[in-house]
């Protein structure tokens, strides 16, 4: 262990090592951080309060340099309008989509939330809350370990069976988040398939990109939703090499939908595994809320369907579903599954209750779709630059980071409406936007208030795309 860490210290930048130290005065820990090959920062941490940290003079100089560097990084972000400030909210069970906003002046104020990914309000549904309370009473708070070592609870197994059934797959595997599920599944499949090539849509989410990067597999990026380009790229690769085509169904920032059948046709022609991220579609589309693939009768054409438990299902966690063999490989070989504590049982129980409710209540997603259509028409009628998306996600384009932030600051401060500005790197520079996500619980009055507020603020700020009467 000692030898490995010491080696890493001198081979790489930004690697750290902790070495136990024993001096006459007692024992402590030597922490080394190699910032470059020539600069070494040395801290000696002592266990007692009175001798908590002793820095050498070299350390002090270096530490000051790093602070300046960090401060500049953040200052640059602020200048660019990329610096993120979080609205401190207190969700109010039973009052969705209203929440309490803790204002910077210390006061609390009720606001209408227009940008939540709790798309159906399931995070506050009585069935979900009851299942979670019951699971806590029954099983306590934590999971008790990793899945392998005492952390596989009955609730996990039941949830995995439900998810496999939802997508018509042989098996499913849950993770602590959707982000981790993409990292684990793509990272593992791309790594264990010898000489694998992964074809990735240009707009794929960061978690897929990180999974692909981590796999070390050769990667080709096809133009967004472009089956012809995918075919062109695949045709140029040795037919004998294993291939994976990875894409999403509903894209979270543009709200557009992939041509799943066309992409599967190309993938089939080249004998590839198909990997579909349905994070923004599960619970919302299809007769049982199985996503776009279910809605379009295509679930059987996807080798793996990945999803989240944190958006339309209102809780937290992620999953993949697919053939039992592939799921077993991911279960057996994905580090981000193996070496972490499993989801708390009450979270799995809550997610299970949410899925069961959503499957048997299509009227919730029908109402959401109706509300999304209604708001889109109202925004358009008011001359606001809303993208004409075929999904529940309504992006209103602003095109400037500072303006986007100013609009949202005024929305919350003057109109008690909370919308988070979406800036780079979540979207490209020049495509900054408000991302509105109507739920079944937003009323006509909520919509009217939002549209009127946007028009008034746009008028004041000269938001260029607004047609002033
Ligand atoms: C397309 C996509 N995949 C995966 C994730 C990660 O899901 P989770 O929030 O459950 O980690 C997100 C998050 O928003 C996403 O947009």
């Amino acid at each position: 262990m000692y030898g490995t860490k010491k080696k890493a210290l001198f081979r790489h930048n930004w690697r750290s090592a902790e070495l136990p130290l024993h001096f006459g005065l007692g024992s402590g820990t030597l922490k080394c951080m190699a910032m470059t090959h020539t600069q070494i920062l040395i801290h000696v941490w002592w266990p007692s309060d009175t001798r908590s940290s002793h820095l050498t003079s070299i350390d002090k100089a270096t530490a000051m340099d790093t602070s300046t560097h960090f401060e500049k990084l953040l200052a640059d972000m602020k200048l660019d309008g990329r610096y993120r400030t979080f609205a401190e909210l207190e969700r109010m069970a039973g009052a969705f989509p209203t929440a309490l906003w803790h204002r910077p002046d210390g006061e609390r104020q009720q606001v209408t939330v227009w940008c939540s990914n709790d798309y159906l309000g399931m995070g506050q549904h009585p069935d979900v809350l009851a299942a979670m309370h019951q699971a806590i009473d029954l099983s306590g708070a934590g999971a008790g370990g990793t899945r392998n070592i005492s952390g596989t609870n009955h609730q996990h197994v039941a949830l995995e069976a439900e998810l496999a059934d939802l997508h018509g797959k042989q098996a499913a595997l849950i993770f602590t988040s959707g982000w981790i599920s993409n990292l684990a599944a793509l990272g593992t499949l791309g790594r264990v398939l010898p000489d694998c090539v992964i074809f990735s849509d240009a707009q794929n989410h960061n978690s897929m990109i990180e999974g692909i990067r981590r796999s070390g597999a050769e990667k080709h990026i096809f133009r967004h939703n472009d089956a012809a380009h995918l075919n062109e790229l695949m045709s140029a690769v040795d037919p004998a090499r294993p291939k994976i085509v990875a894409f999403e169904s509903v894209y979270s920032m543009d709200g557009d939908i992939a041509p799943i059948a066309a992409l599967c046709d190309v993938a089939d022609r080249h004998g590839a595994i198909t990997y579909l991220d349905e994070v923004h579609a599960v619970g919302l589309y299809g007769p049982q809320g199985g996503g776009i693939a279910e809605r379009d009768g295509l679930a059987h054409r996807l080798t793996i369907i990945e999803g989240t438990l944190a958006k339309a299902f209102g809780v937290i966690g992620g999953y993949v579903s697919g053939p039992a063999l592939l799921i077993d490989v991911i279960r057996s070989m994905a580090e981000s599954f193996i070496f972490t504590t499993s989801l708390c049982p009450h979270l799995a129980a809550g997610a299970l209750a949410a899925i069961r409710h959503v499957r048997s209540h299509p009227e919730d997603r029908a109402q959401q779709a109706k509300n999304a259509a209604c708001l889109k028409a109202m925004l358009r009628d008011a001359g606001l630059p809303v993208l004409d998306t075929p999904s529940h996600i309504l992006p209103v384009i602003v095109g400037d980071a500072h303006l986007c932030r100013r609009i949202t600051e005024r929305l919350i401060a003057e109109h008690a409406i909370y919308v988070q500005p979406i800036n780079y790197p979540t979207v490209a520079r020049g495509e900054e936007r408000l991302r509105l996500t109507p739920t079944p619980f937003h009323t006509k009055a909520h919509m009217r208030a939002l549209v009127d507020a946007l028009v008034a603020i746009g008028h004041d700020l000269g938001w260029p795309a607004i047609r002033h009467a």
Side-chain angles (χ1 to χ4, degrees), residues 3-17 33-40:
T4 321
K5 285 187 172 175
K6 203 173 168 199
K7 245 196 246 164
L9 178 64
F10 292 104
R11 276 227 202 111
H12 301 289
N13 293 344
W14 291 102
R15 288 295 173 97
S16 66
M33 177 178 283
M35 296 179 58
T36 68
H37 290 272
T38 51
Q39 269 185 313
I40 299 175

Side-chain angles (χ1 to χ4, degrees), residues 177-179 182 205 207 248 252 277 279-280 308 310-311 317:
S177 75
W179 198 94
N182 275 332
H205 186 255
S207 51
E248 301 178 24
S252 67
D277 176 317
V279 158
H280 293 278
T308 184
K311 302 192 193 305

